[in-house]
């Protein structure tokens, strides 16, 4: 939520640091991450500057088991510039400090035996390289030349280490703040210590409700999909065909198609929808499930390997198709529902409960839940652009025309939307805005937990900063003064 106060020093870091954190998370996919070799000299390799001149690439810092090279900072700056970021918001020292933080997190994640999933990392690398290849029209040679790599294997190895280090850092930060909570009394004290003239201003907020009707798939089409999946199952079990090949050829899950439907599930870390997990965890190694349904369509799962808590599974997803006739019938049905509401024969909430196909909202009168705040309020300036476009012209309780939309699988659906309440921009009020104030208080406490952790770990970790960066005004005590 944007704050239009001039100085909320109790809760908010300077805007530039937030921008830096966000952009750095994107840019870090191209920054080298290396485990330090005690025999490695201070000077390691050449790099190219913005001007095209070649300079010797030196070690900028050592943090525990990791090193930061001068080129790491250069690459980060170039990535940010390529993404259109204004370098006026942060300087080289700030970028360097962020690199030091990430190395500190990654180092102590290893010390704390925090584990990350290698299969998930490789899958992420595959996705990233595929995205990169789109920028070079599919040319791996151009991609390797751009990143100055001799071959695809070494490029993938570096990308793997980059992602592994980033994931370790993320898991370490998550561990630090996971158990941080605030009590109602802490929220009250937090709010009261903010001077009245410095209290945040919250923007205009709306409550939005919707009724969704999805075209019904015919029983014949569902049976066709189930029969097809059973055919794949039979081909593998009785004819010795490859499940992986069937997935590559036929699955409609774009995220796993190129990897043969592969996912790694962890019993301790919920991933995928509930129905998928339940079926996967009920299988024995080498077993193929019966066809089953999720919100995405119909699946069969092959359990390839169990490794402790981790399950390597492959799946094939098929999505039943709806006919033009079924699409038109769904639209006409929703138009009739709209007439009932506009005529006063039903309230919007009553119609949502009776007609809506959206399970998450129908029993709450169609009210949408804000995924960021977990309440019913949507701040106008932070609303999803698509949703904003659908409600921006509506007055309170006005019903939209029938809107054609798509679900997360790309299937067509129809909906009505309405604004059920509107709160204008206002200065924070403790009773009215308790949940937002609680979130600000929690963020402040989390920042303090991270600062305390950094202070403690910097003190006990071997850190060496190159003389070229000793004049930086670091936020944290990297120089151990």
């Amino acid at each position: 939520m944007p704050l239009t106060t001039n100085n909320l020093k109790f809760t908010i870091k300077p805007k530039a640091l937030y921008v830096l954190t966000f952009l750095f998370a994107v840019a870090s996919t191209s920054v080298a991450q290396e485990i330090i070799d005690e025999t490695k000299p201070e000077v390691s390799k050449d790099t190219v500057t913005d001007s095209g001149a070649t300079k010797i690439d030196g070690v900028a810092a050592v943090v525990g088991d990791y090193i930061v090279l001068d080129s790491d900072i250069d690459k980060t700056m170039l990535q940010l510039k390529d993404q259109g970021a204004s370098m006026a918001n942060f300087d080289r020292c700030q970028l360097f400090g962020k690199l030091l933080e990430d190395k500190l997190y990654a180092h102590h994640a290893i010390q704390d035996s925090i584990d990350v999933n290698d299969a998930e990392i490789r899958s992420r690398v595959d996705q990233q390289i595929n995205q990169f290849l789109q920028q070079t029209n599919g040319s791996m040679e151009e991609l390797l030349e751009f990143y100055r790599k001799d071959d695809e294997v070494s490029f993938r190895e570096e990308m793997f280490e980059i992602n592994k280090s980033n994931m370790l850092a993320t898991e370490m930060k998550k561990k630090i703040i996971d158990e941080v909570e605030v009590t109602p009394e802490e929220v009250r004290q937090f709010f009261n210590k903010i001077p009245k003239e410095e209290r945040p201003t919250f923007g205009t907020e709306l409550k939005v409700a919707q009724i969704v009707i999805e075209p019904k798939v015919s029983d014949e089409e569902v049976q066709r999909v189930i029969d097809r999946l059973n055919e794949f199952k039979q081909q593998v079990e009785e004819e010795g065909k490859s499940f992986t090949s069937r997935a590559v050829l036929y699955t409609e899950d774009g995220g796993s198609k190129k990897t043969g439907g592969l996912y790694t599930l962890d019993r301790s870390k919920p991933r995928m929808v509930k129905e998928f997990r339940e079926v996967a965890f009920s299988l024995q190694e080498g077993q193929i499930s019966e066809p089953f349904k999720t919100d995405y369509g119909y699946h069969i799962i092959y359990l390839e390997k169990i490794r402790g808590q981790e399950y390597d599974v492959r799946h094939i997803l098929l999505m039943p198709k709806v006919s033009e006739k079924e699409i038109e019938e769904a639209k006409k049905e929703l138009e009739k529902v709209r007439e009932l509401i506009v005529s006063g024969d039903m309230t919007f909430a009553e119609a949502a409960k009776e007609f809506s196909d959206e399970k998450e909202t129908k029993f709450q009168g169609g009210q949408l839940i804000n995924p960021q705040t977990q309440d019913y309020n949507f701040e106008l300036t932070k609303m999803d652009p698509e949703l904003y476009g659908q409600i921006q012209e509506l007055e309170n309780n006005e019903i939209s025309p029938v809107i054609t939309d798509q679900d997360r699988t790309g299937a067509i659906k129809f909906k009505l939307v309405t604004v059920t309440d509107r709160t204008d921009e206002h200065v924070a009020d403790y009773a009215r805005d308790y949940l937002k104030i609680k979130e600000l208080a929690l963020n402040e406490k989390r920042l303090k937990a991270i600062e305390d952790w950094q202070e403690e770990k910097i003190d006990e970790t071997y850190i060496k900063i190159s003389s070229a960066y000793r004049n930086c005004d670091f936020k944290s005590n990297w120089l151990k003064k």
Side-chain angles (χ1 to χ4, degrees):
M1 65 202 72
L3 305 177
T4 56
T5 181
N6 290 326
N7 179 24
L8 190 59
K9 61 179 178 293
F10 301 100
T11 61
I12 307 298
K13 286 186 175 181
K15 181 180 179 182
L17 293 183
Y18 277 114
V19 175
L20 170 61
T21 300
F22 171 75
L23 291 173
F24 191 91
V26 180
S28 62
T29 57
S30 68
V31 178
Q33 318 262 345
E34 301 186 32
I35 301 292
I36 188 168
D37 180 351
E38 294 293 346
T39 64
K40 181 178 286 190
E42 286 278 321
V43 175
S44 55
K45 57 186 177 181
D46 292 349
T47 189
V48 179
T49 65
D50 289 342
S51 64
T54 301
K55 70 174 184 180
I56 299 299
D57 188 8
V59 174
V62 178
V63 181
D65 291 332
Y66 288 87
I67 64 172
V68 180
L69 300 174
D70 284 323
S71 61
D72 294 342
I73 310 171
D74 295 329
K75 289 177 184 177
T76 303
M77 295 183 75
L78 287 173
Q79 282 285 322
L80 295 176
K81 288 178 181 177
D82 288 343
Q83 293 157 19
S86 171
M87 300 311 293
N89 289 328
F90 34 80
D91 57 25
R92 189 177 182 86
C93 284
Q94 285 178 302
L95 294 177
F96 181 47
K98 185 64 173 64
L99 282 167
L100 295 176
E101 287 182 15
D102 283 352
K103 296 299 184 290
L104 186 70
Y105 289 130
H107 171 75
H108 282 283
I110 295 173
Q111 306 307 306
D112 290 1
S113 300
I114 291 176
D115 193 25
V116 291
N117 189 309
D118 285 358
E120 185 177 345
I121 297 171
R122 291 191 185 94
S123 176
R124 185 176 295 186
V125 169
D126 287 339
Q127 293 174 12
Q128 290 170 342
I129 289 179
N130 287 335
Q131 290 173 351
F132 294 160
L133 286 171
Q134 292 177 13
Q135 307 300 317
T136 61
N137 295 318
S139 171
M140 179 59 73
E141 290 74 17
E142 287 184 32
L143 185 61
L144 295 175
E145 181 181 356
F146 179 81
Y147 283 100
R148 298 186 180 89
K149 289 297 171 185
D150 295 329
D151 54 69
E152 183 178 347
V153 172
S154 63
F155 182 50
R156 286 184 175 275
E157 286 176 353
E158 179 170 312
M159 290 292 294
F160 179 88
E161 292 305 321
I162 290 168
N163 279 274
K164 184 170 185 177
S165 178
N166 289 343
M167 288 181 70
L168 285 169
T170 298
E171 290 301 314
M172 188 70 251
K173 284 184 279 190
K174 185 173 181 290
K175 180 179 178 181
I176 296 168
I177 66 174
D178 259 359
E179 297 181 2
V180 176
E181 296 179 348
V182 287
T183 65
E185 177 59 21
E186 287 177 314
V187 177
R188 186 188 66 80
Q189 292 178 5
F190 166 82
F191 182 73
N192 287 340
K193 75 179 180 181
I194 305 174
K196 288 184 178 181
E197 65 274 12
E198 296 180 10
R199 286 178 181 171
T201 298
F202 296 122
T204 300
E205 292 182 330
L206 308 174
K207 290 183 180 178
V208 181
Q210 66 182 25
I211 298 172
V212 177
I213 289 185
E214 301 168 355
K216 304 299 186 289
V217 178
S218 68
D219 293 340
E220 292 77 15
E221 174 64 7
V222 170
Q223 191 59 51
R224 182 194 70 80
V225 167
I226 292 174
D227 291 344
R228 187 71 167 135
L229 290 172
N230 278 324
E231 181 183 343
F232 296 148
K233 177 178 166 71
Q234 180 182 356
Q235 288 173 348
V236 176
E237 292 180 335
E238 299 179 15
E239 302 174 23
K241 303 292 185 182
S242 165
F243 191 98
T244 301
S245 297
R246 314 254 88 59
V248 169
L249 290 171
Y250 302 111
T251 188
E252 295 180 53
D253 174 16
S256 67
K257 188 176 183 70
K258 290 186 178 180
T259 59
L262 179 64
Y263 286 105
T264 297
L265 308 182
D266 190 325
R267 280 187 174 275
S268 64
K269 299 176 182 177
R271 185 185 180 196
M272 311 294 284
V273 293
K274 179 183 176 183
E275 298 89 347
F276 192 99
R277 297 196 309 270
E278 288 178 346
V279 172
F281 294 144
S282 70
L283 298 174
Q284 301 296 318
E285 279 191 11
Q287 186 178 2
I288 301 175
S289 74
E290 298 295 328
F292 66 97
K293 182 182 179 183
T294 71
D295 288 341
Y296 292 90
Y298 287 81
H299 314 247
I300 53 173
I301 294 177
Y302 167 59
L303 178 55
E304 189 168 89
K305 185 74 174 177
I306 300 176
R307 296 176 286 108
Q309 295 279 8
E310 294 181 346
Y311 284 53
D312 291 335
V313 302
R314 296 184 185 274
H315 86 125
I316 299 173
L317 166 68
L318 296 181
M319 294 181 282
K321 307 299 185 291
V322 295
S323 68
E324 289 299 323
K325 178 183 176 182
E326 290 158 344
I327 291 173
E328 188 60 30
E329 287 176 351
K331 184 177 181 181
K332 287 181 178 178
E333 180 184 357
L334 193 54
E335 286 171 344
K336 291 178 181 178
V337 172
R338 186 180 188 278
E339 290 174 7
L340 288 172
I341 300 170
V342 172
S343 66
D345 292 334
M346 298 186 82
T347 66
F348 194 96
E350 290 169 343
K353 185 175 181 180
E354 182 167 344
F355 297 106
S356 184
D357 291 326
E358 190 171 63
K359 295 179 292 186
E360 297 85 356
T361 63
K362 67 180 299 176
F363 297 109
Q364 283 76 46
Q367 291 285 348
L368 292 176
I369 295 177
N370 188 329
Q372 274 73 48
T373 61
Q374 296 302 309
D375 62 17
Y376 294 131
N377 295 307
F378 289 82
E379 187 159 357
L380 200 59
T381 57
K382 301 188 74 173
M383 185 176 288
D384 176 78
E386 184 177 356
L387 179 60
Y388 176 77
Q390 294 167 354
I391 59 90
Q392 63 177 327
E393 302 296 332
L394 296 179
E395 300 293 335
N396 276 11
N397 299 313
E398 182 183 356
I399 313 300
S400 74
V402 172
I403 298 169
T404 303
D405 204 353
Q406 290 182 320
D407 65 15
R408 54 191 171 184
T409 69
I412 289 177
K413 62 181 180 179
F414 300 98
K415 68 180 184 179
L416 301 173
V417 296
T418 186
V419 176
T420 60
D421 188 30
R422 186 186 304 263
T423 303
D424 293 330
E425 182 177 296
H426 62 282
V427 175
D429 176 85
Y430 181 75
R432 183 191 216 175
D433 302 306
Y434 177 81
L435 290 177
K436 301 184 196 67
I437 295 165
K438 178 182 178 181
E439 187 65 23
L440 292 175
L442 181 59
N443 286 340
E444 182 188 62
K445 194 170 181 180
R446 284 172 173 168
L447 287 172
K448 183 64 167 61
I450 288 174
E451 288 171 1
D452 290 346
W453 182 90
Q454 282 191 13
E455 182 179 350
E456 176 188 343
K457 297 304 179 183
I458 288 174
D459 188 56
E460 66 182 45
T461 305
Y462 174 75
I463 296 171
K464 181 181 178 182
I465 306 295
S466 166
S467 59
Y469 299 95
R470 289 186 173 272
N471 289 326
C472 284
D473 183 18
F474 295 118
K475 181 178 180 293
S476 300
N477 188 27
W478 296 108
L479 300 175
K480 297 191 178 183
K481 292 182 178 179

